[in-house]
Amino acid sequence: MGGVQKQRHTKGRRNKRRSQIKLLATNLTNCANCGRVILPHRACSFCGYYKGKETFKIKIKTKKKR
């Protein structure tokens, strides 16, 4: 058997329930080393630092010679 409603819910009650269904903005923080905007709790992809310590080295791109 299916879920057959006994009484209809009002528009207000429906809208109160749907008010929680929304998109949230992403929280961003600044890198302590270079100051760029990054996602929290992640190493900076621009300088390679996390919490003031270098976690990985960033390779510097060089220009190709013609």
Side-chain angles (χ1 to χ4, degrees):
M1 301 231 183
V4 181
Q5 63 187 19
K6 291 184 179 179
Q7 245 181 340
R8 185 176 176 165
H9 291 307
T10 62
K11 294 174 189 172
R13 189 166 171 181
R14 177 199 65 199
N15 294 342
K16 283 179 199 171
R17 182 182 72 246
R18 290 182 183 171
S19 71
Q20 303 303 316
I21 303 169
K22 59 188 172 229
L23 292 174
L24 297 174
T26 309
N27 292 328
L28 298 172
T29 57
N30 292 330
C31 175
N33 188 47
C34 67
R36 293 213 179 169
V37 178
I38 57 169
L39 289 170
H41 306 289
R42 283 164 181 78
C44 180
S45 60
F46 302 103
C47 66
Y49 277 73
Y50 179 69
K51 290 190 177 179
K53 297 177 185 174
E54 189 175 18
T55 55
F56 57 91
K57 300 251 185 208
I58 302 294
K59 291 183 180 178
I60 299 170
K61 292 182 181 179
T62 58
K63 293 183 179 180
K64 293 180 181 178
K65 293 182 180 179
R66 291 188 180 191

